[in-house]
Amino acid sequence: MQTIEVNGLVFEEYLSAENIAEIVGNVAERINTDYTGKEPLFICVLNGAFMYASDLFKKITLPSEITFVRLKSYEGTATTGEVKILTPLTMDIQGRDVIIIEDIVDTGLTMHGFMHQLRGMGANSVELTSFLFKPEALKYADATPKYIGLEIPTKFVLGYGLDFDEKGRNLPALYVLRS
Ligand code: IMP
Ligand code: MG
């Protein structure tokens, strides 16, 4: 088992770069099929999703566009939660078929808030793909991704764009915190 140390914590390899490529290819195939005849607009959620978005977008064979937002979510006392947009959308999404690209859905707070905002901006449809999904951690059912790369247990992971205190994003494989 290959292990690495990041900021004093030990992580074990969970998915190899080859496993990841296969997972991403499967998601792309489903989207290519479901959106045949459409021109989807992908919205990559920075920072974590940049690697997944890059690999996924290269495998999309539809006429399509991509744009980027940077989000920060806040855990409020209200059940709806609040999502702050640090870098806002610069594209008009009126009438568009939007597919959000996220790295991981954990409690679902971030995507619950963001999808609600997008629907209020006149998109024709709003769907979500997430490379990883932690179903047991989900608190907002409407943030369940339609296109999931892999469901994982509620454990901390890093690599392939995901960070631990901004470290580890450059790792081409995915690692899980040793328990
Ligand atoms: P949520 O709003 O609780 O669904 O959290 C989503 C965000 O938390 C993701 O976009 C990630 O940035 C971060 N996150 C959640 N779980 C992990 C993890 O295991 N590793 C790294 N980042 C994570
Ligand atoms: Mg993220």
Side-chain angles (χ1 to χ4, degrees), residues 42-54 66-73 83-90 99-104 110-111 114 128-129 160-163 166 169:
F42 290 87
I43 301 178
C44 168
V45 180
L46 298 171
N47 294 330
F50 77 101
M51 271 197 201
Y52 175 49
S54 169
I66 189 165
T67 190
F68 302 84
V69 290
R70 199 166 154 230
L71 304 180
K72 198 178 169 77
S73 53
V83 178
K84 195 175 174 194
I85 300 184
L86 297 183
T87 306
L89 267 183
T90 51
I99 304 174
I100 304 164
I101 306 178
E102 179 61 305
D103 53 355
I104 188 163
T110 312
M111 284 304 108
F114 187 55
L128 171 62
T129 178
Y160 194 60
L162 291 105
D163 72 304
E166 295 303 324
R169 292 194 197 274

Side-chain angles (χ1 to χ4, degrees), residues 86-150:
L86 297 183
T87 306
L89 267 183
T90 51
M91 282 178 83
D92 181 11
I93 64 164
Q94 192 88 29
R96 298 299 305 262
D97 294 304
V98 169
I99 304 174
I100 304 164
I101 306 178
E102 179 61 305
D103 53 355
I104 188 163
V105 174
D106 187 40
T107 66
L109 169 68
T110 312
M111 284 304 108
H112 164 79
F114 187 55
M115 289 171 87
H116 180 76
Q117 287 177 14
L118 290 186
R119 290 205 175 92
M121 291 165 76
N124 182 54
S125 64
V126 178
E127 295 293 355
L128 171 62
T129 178
S130 186
F131 176 59
L132 300 169
F133 177 45
K134 296 178 181 173
E136 285 147 21
L138 192 72
K139 288 189 192 149
Y140 299 86
D142 61 346
T144 304
K146 180 165 185 185
Y147 303 99
I148 298 165
L150 188 71

